[in-house]
Amino acid sequence: MNSLARVRTVLAGGIPDRVPVCLHNFMLAVREAGARMEDYRTNPEVIARVHLQAVEKYQHDCIMVDTDTTMLAEALGAGSECAPNEPGRIVQPALRSLDEVDRLKVINPETDGRIPALLEAVRLMSKQVGGEIAIRGNADQAAFALACLVRGIEDFLMELAEQPDDPRIAQLMEICHLSHLAVHRALAKAGAHLTSLGDSLAGPDVISPRMFNRFARPYEERLVKDLAADGIFVVIHICGDTSKILDMLAEYGPCGFELDYKTDAVKAKQTTGMHHVLFGNIDPSGVLAQGTVEQVQEATRKLISVWKPGGRFILNAGCVLPSTTPSENIRALIEMVKECGVYD
Amino acid sequence: MSPSGEQGFFHLELYSRGKMDDLKKLYKAILEGNAKVSAEETAQALEAGVDPITIIEGTMIPAMDEVGRLFECQDYFVPELLLSGRAMKAAMQLLRPLLAKGGVQPAGRVVIGTVKGDLHDIGKNLVGSMLEGGGFEVTDLGTDVSSDRFIAAIRETNADIVCLSALLTVTMPAMKTTIEALESAGVRNKVKVLVGGAPVTSQYAREIGADGYGENATAAVALARELGKAP
């Protein structure tokens, strides 16, 4: 069973030969390839090269192609900046007030911002390894988190709490949703075997489950449904501890959930893990970047014992791996899967 | 969600039976995150001759403590913290000039910033806001703050506490270099250093010689109060 077959088996709800590994490693891959983040953000050859070098080195089963969390917000008009070798950060929202929402237009992924570079990188990798290794194209932020970035996080969170029925909020969310949906479709067309998203700010570390249910969930569920109709498997990532919204996530249509390390792994297996594919969720910073090999082995062994039974599990870090993650820790993770992740 | 959970109202009832009965509207405005009412009530209280310290210590700090408690027990989330912080600041804006004039001492003086190379500020802003609500005088240096700027601000404000924030693993080492720079400059012994941010752990805080680690904004306030008491 090659890597692609292993991943596809899991996505289809079957039992593979062993637990597949996906690495959310773009920052680490950029450093290890000796590339500059500034080039990685915009140059498809650089994006493809750093991921192919990483997969050659670690032999993981699923490449996750991701640039940062600002690509879509920039395409919608937000201003960003980056410190050297850091991913981008939004410094100027696209909208100074909700009154400006009429100015926004749904983006075209084939032409707008840096998205064409990401799509081209997926095409390049698909040509080279697409028959053997799974390619997961990350479509950046989903409607809720994207709207936060486009309007300004703090202002938008207060507007959601103060004026939830404002029709301009719904209008903004719709434009963000349609823009984001288009990127998933474009990634799949470019050769991604599965796609994913971050709804980074939608978890209970930031907003209440009630606000999640009203402003994030409907768009996520629509996305899952629309992509399923197109035959596209999507993985949803929400940052922080999602234990309190697992029951809601469990009601979504078929998809994957990449849960952050703070989420209760046992509860996740008993809720979303029953019918959805779980990705994750080793602590990327405390364990993989800062921990010892023994700590990585222990955390990986423990997670495999909880999430492996019955399949529907692809091992990954709970969020993006820091660029400082030692290679021996990634190797320890992979070796542990080979030791404990094999199905009988 | 409604910015006033059941527990909030319960507390409010208890409070309103206290001696600061006339300030209960200000307490409620902060709890519910209403900046306009907060400013109006503060202006009225001042006009009626209420002492600014009484307003802060008797009403605003208890209100922000209650906001922190509601956040801890997950009745409040970040949007509610932001709204209450804004309401608290609207009142503080009217009170600050009077405090300065009266030579009133704050609970402590805090210098806060995101360390060199790191541009993230939402967590840092929340911590700063909650500390201000807790009665501390907060000097916010913003993001990408060099050791030199921290040192200058400590000297300038005569700070008791320095809060260092980092969201990135790659910028965490700047917390260590900042602490080392405080030592070299001879100001390390004058301040308590608190660190926080998503990748930071209490173990890391110990390793780099910080005095404390706060997992979130309310933990930071509790820690600042605790450390503020130390000799």
Side-chain angles (χ1 to χ4, degrees), chain B residues 9 12 63 70 74 85 91 148 152 170 183-184 188 197 209 212:
Chain B
F9 278 126
L12 189 62
L70 291 170
Q74 297 193 318
D148 288 347
V170 283
E183 272 164 18
S184 305
R188 177 66 185 90

Side-chain angles (χ1 to χ4, degrees), chain B residues 66-76 81 216-220:
Chain B
E66 176 63 2
V67 169
R69 194 189 67 77
L70 291 170
F71 180 71
E72 279 294 309
C73 62
Q74 297 193 318
D75 268 3
Y76 272 21
L81 279 195
N216 56 38
T218 50

